[in-house]
């Protein structure tokens, strides 16, 4: 029997914590890291007699995202109560949006390999976060910290449009970049400001109806999303190929064991007994607010990437990589300005040596010990032939370690390129004189030895001789 070919189907639900200063329905602070239960007010606790009031800033942020993904902004949307019992949900319900969300029918462009794909965004809705249960700090007990209760979230739900873990990660990264460009979410995944539930199913290739899915909850790194999805794909295919069926359920990913485990069987919407929250008026958004928000939109990643291609002559790939984050894009442009050098050279250094060094030390671009002026200064010296590209790597490392500008490092370490032909010729004479056996072989036709002589000259100058000049002068000398 021919082995069955499977198609993977993935849809993501992403929770982005909105970067408002106060909560979505109260004036309590949203600052991270406060002592437990010091930032939950009577409204967040749902004490009797309180009334929620919607945070205008959270609405503007939802509109921003909606415009950035070319979605429809609902003129009228409704807040609903989603009822369930859990220790970290003191009200017994979460205020969310259900039937009428604020944002609908958007799209996001992703690059995977050298292909481009458009992923549909079904909806984005506003809701409040719950508190946190703390299991680690107490033996045999669970602590409850309600500081997070009432923190505004935007839940962004994709269409089941992704066909591999790599596409899912590309989508999540693109959305992550977008919320940071828009400054509506700090994107801090370790603190849980940007987290993902991954819905995964498989079906025989060619089948048009969807297979039964599982939902893996609370994935808070790109790596975990990729691993959890790949684990699920394999698990489901193994199950189906051995004659079993996939249970529709909610699962948890264990990063220590790299596996997902069942958490609970999937609840249906009617388990939540959704109904419109009687304490909140429908959210009405008029055209003038939408236009106002539209005018505040910054240049977005796709626009920036297109501009980098036309203005700096970069490839689609380079432009997409550099516009991954606004900070990286700004760093690149500042380097081009500071260096007055070839944009391609700047791009190579920002994506190459700089990115590698940041990676090595676990730093973000904002924490880079070298700023764009420093890097630009180094690239200027490559461009004007003060140093070779190879020596530049050495200068870069010294700049990084010693936090000094390029010119100072080049001067102090005596790394200036030797371009003076008289000086180079003198060294060539010495090298040739010291290697008579190789000279004889070369003259009798062993032309490969030319490289040997170049190497010796470079060595004698500690790599500082201008390589083009060395080649030219050696050729003259040896063909004489
Ligand atoms: P909920 O999880 O709240 O029940 P939905 O039915 O709206 O909500 O689906 C949530 C997510 O699951 C969406 O991103 C959707 O694209 C995705 N999804 C739905 N069905 C499947 C499926 N069969 N396979 C993979 N993803 C799916
Ligand atoms: Mg869900």
């Amino acid at each position: 029997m021919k082995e069955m070919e499977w198609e993977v189907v993935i849809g993501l639900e992403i929770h982005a914590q909105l970067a408002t200063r106060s909560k979505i329905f109260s004036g309590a602070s949203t600052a991270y890291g406060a002592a437990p239960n010091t930032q939950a007010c009577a409204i967040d606790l749902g004490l009797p007699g309180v009334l929620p009031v919607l945070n205008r800033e959270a609405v503007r942020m939802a509109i921003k995202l909606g415009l950035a993904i070319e979605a429809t902004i609902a003129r009228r949307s409704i807040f609903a109560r989603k009822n369930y019992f859990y220790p970290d949900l003191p009200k017994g319900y979460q205020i969310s949006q259900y039937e009428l969300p604020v944002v609908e029918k958007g799209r996001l462009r992703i690059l995977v390999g050298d292909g481009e794909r458009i992923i549909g965004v079904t909806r984005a809705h506003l809701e409040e976060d719950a508190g946190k249960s703390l299991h680690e700090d107490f033996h045999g007990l669970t602590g409850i910290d309600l500081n997070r209760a009432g923190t505004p979230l935007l839940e962004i739900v994709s269409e089941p449009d992704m066909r591999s873990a790599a596409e899912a990660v590309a989508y999540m990264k693109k959305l992550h970049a977008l919320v940071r460009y828009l400054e509506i979410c700090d994107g801090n995944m370790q603190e849980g400001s940007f987290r993902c539930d991954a819905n995964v199913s498989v079906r025989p290739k060619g089948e048009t109806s969807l297979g039964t899915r599982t939902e893996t909850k609370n994935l808070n790194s790109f790596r975990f999303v990729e691993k959890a999805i790949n684990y699920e794909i394999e698990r489901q295919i193994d199950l189906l190929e051995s004659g079993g069926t996939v249970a529709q359920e909610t699962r948890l990913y264990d990063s220590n064991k790299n596996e997902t485990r069942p958490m609970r069987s999937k609840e249906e919407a009617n388990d939540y007994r959704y109904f419109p929250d009687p304490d909140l008026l429908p959210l009405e958004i008029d055209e003038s607010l939408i236009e106002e928000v539209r005018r505040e939109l910054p240049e977005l990643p796709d626009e920036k990437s297109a501009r980098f291609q036309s203005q700096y002559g970069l490839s689609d790939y380079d432009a997409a990589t550099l516009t991954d984050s606004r900070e990286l894009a700004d760093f690149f442009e500042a380097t081009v300005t500071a260096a007055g050098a070839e944009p391609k050279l700047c791009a190579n250094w920002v994506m190459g040596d700089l990115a590698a060094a940041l990676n090595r030390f676990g730093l973000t671009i904002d924490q880079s010990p070298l700023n764009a002026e420093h890097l630009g200064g180094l690239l200027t010296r490559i461009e004007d032939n003060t140093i070779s590209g190879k020596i530049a790597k050495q200068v870069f490392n010294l700049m990084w370690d010693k936090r000094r500008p390029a010119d100072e490092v080049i001067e102090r370490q005596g790394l200036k390129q030797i371009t003076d032909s008289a000086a180079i010729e003198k060294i060539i004479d010495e090298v040739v004189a010291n290697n008579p056996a190789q000279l004889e072989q070369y003259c009798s036709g062993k032309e490969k030895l030319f490289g040997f002589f170049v190497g010796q000259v470079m060595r004698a100058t500690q790599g500082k001789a201008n390589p083009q000049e060395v080649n030219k002068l050696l050729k003259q000398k040896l063909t004489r």
Side-chain angles (χ1 to χ4, degrees), residues 173-424:
K173 283 190 172 165
K174 189 63 179 280
L175 205 52
H176 186 254
L178 203 55
V179 297
R180 302 210 44 228
Y181 266 77
L182 296 169
E183 297 177 319
I184 63 173
C185 170
D186 67 18
N188 189 326
M189 297 171 73
Q190 258 149 35
E191 292 175 5
S193 302
F194 190 86
R195 51 193 198 259
C196 168
D197 303 340
N199 295 270
V200 178
S201 66
V202 298
R203 61 185 172 191
K205 233 191 179 104
E207 171 67 56
T208 50
S209 59
L210 293 172
T212 305
R213 73 175 145 137
T214 61
E215 175 175 357
T216 303
K217 284 274 189 200
N218 278 335
L219 299 162
N220 68 349
S221 86
F222 297 121
R223 216 160 49 89
F224 292 166
V225 167
E226 176 160 20
K227 288 188 158 193
I229 290 176
N230 280 329
Y231 179 87
E232 261 313 283
I233 293 171
E234 244 184 79
R235 188 186 69 86
Q236 293 185 14
I237 292 177
D238 283 352
L239 207 64
L240 294 169
E241 288 190 340
S242 59
T245 53
V246 174
Q248 174 152 335
E249 63 191 2
T250 302
R251 299 177 71 89
L252 273 185
Y253 176 67
D254 179 341
S255 57
N256 294 319
K257 295 190 177 152
N258 185 34
E259 62 179 29
T260 67
R261 282 198 299 272
M263 179 163 97
R264 54 173 188 249
S265 72
K266 171 88 190 149
E267 51 296 282
E268 299 293 331
N270 56 16
D271 293 338
Y272 288 123
R273 304 176 332 277
Y274 279 102
F275 63 88
D277 192 313
D279 287 343
L280 286 157
L281 291 168
L283 167 59
E284 308 222 347
I285 296 174
D286 57 29
E287 194 62 41
S288 66
L289 177 59
I290 297 175
E291 286 319 306
E292 195 183 306
V293 173
R294 196 191 297 279
R295 282 193 296 275
E296 287 168 10
L297 289 181
E299 183 181 36
L300 297 173
D302 285 353
E303 297 167 306
K304 215 187 252 305
S305 173
R307 178 169 67 78
F308 278 16
Q309 290 175 56
S310 61
Q311 185 175 344
Y312 301 121
L314 300 181
S315 70
D316 195 5
Y317 176 83
D318 286 356
T321 306
L322 289 170
T323 53
D324 244 7
S325 83
R326 204 162 154 179
E327 291 79 9
L328 189 67
D330 288 348
F331 195 102
F332 162 73
E333 290 207 278
T335 305
V336 174
T337 308
E342 268 295 295
K344 178 62 184 160
L345 179 71
C346 298
N348 288 346
W349 274 81
V350 170
M351 295 186 301
D353 293 74
L354 179 71
L358 291 171
N359 214 0
R360 205 158 49 241
F361 290 90
L363 300 175
T364 64
I365 189 90
D366 319 304
Q367 299 165 327
S368 171
L370 299 185
N371 62 28
E373 282 69 42
H374 292 135
L375 183 60
L378 172 64
L379 303 187
T380 309
R381 294 298 164 252
I382 301 177
E383 196 104 313
D384 70 8
N385 271 325
T386 306
I387 52 173
S388 67
K390 200 159 170 197
I391 290 287
K393 290 184 186 288
Q394 201 180 323
V395 176
F396 176 87
N397 288 329
L398 286 164
M399 290 170 72
W400 182 280
D401 290 342
K402 303 207 184 312
R403 314 276 194 269
R404 294 214 195 290
D407 285 342
E408 210 179 303
V409 170
I410 295 168
E411 193 61 44
R412 280 197 184 197
Q413 310 283 324
L415 291 172
K416 255 198 191 116
Q417 180 156 256
I418 307 169
T419 46
D420 171 10
S421 38
I424 296 176

Side-chain angles (χ1 to χ4, degrees), residues 4-168:
M4 172 92 78
E5 270 203 76
W6 297 96
E7 182 177 53
V8 172
V9 176
I10 303 164
L12 299 185
E13 293 162 272
I14 288 178
H15 287 89
Q17 182 178 318
L18 295 176
T20 57
R21 293 173 55 204
S22 59
K23 298 205 173 156
I24 185 168
F25 300 117
S26 83
S29 168
T30 54
Y32 183 83
N37 300 306
T38 56
Q39 287 179 176
C41 71
I43 295 174
D44 308 325
L45 300 178
L47 296 185
V50 300
L51 275 180
V53 177
L54 181 57
N55 184 330
R56 174 193 302 270
E57 204 46 41
V59 175
R60 296 176 72 102
M61 289 177 173
I63 297 174
K64 258 191 188 170
L65 179 91
L67 293 175
I69 59 172
E70 300 164 63
T72 307
I73 312 296
R75 296 309 142 88
R76 186 168 177 279
S77 63
I78 303 283
F79 285 97
R81 290 186 181 181
K82 178 178 182 179
N83 299 279
Y84 64 93
F85 287 105
Y86 207 73
D88 62 21
L89 188 75
K91 294 204 292 271
Y93 61 86
Q94 175 195 29
I95 305 179
S96 182
Q97 295 192 305
Y98 182 53
E99 273 169 350
L100 290 175
V102 60
V103 170
E104 273 185 300
K105 295 200 187 76
R107 61 216 293 273
L108 208 60
R109 185 184 83 112
I110 59 169
L111 284 181
V112 192
D114 34 345
E116 157 180 321
R117 288 211 58 208
I118 304 292
I119 307 298
V121 177
T122 318
R123 57 187 274 154
H125 63 255
L126 284 162
E127 62 183 26
E128 60 178 344
D129 207 345
K132 249 187 211 164
S133 300
L134 307 168
H135 306 289
E136 271 104 38
D137 303 342
F138 311 93
H139 295 287
L141 298 169
T142 294
I144 303 284
D145 177 6
L146 293 172
N147 282 352
R148 206 178 60 181
T151 298
L153 298 177
L154 193 62
E155 175 171 342
I156 305 155
V157 182
S158 85
E159 288 291 304
D161 282 352
M162 287 153 277
R163 294 292 173 267
S164 66
E167 285 187 11

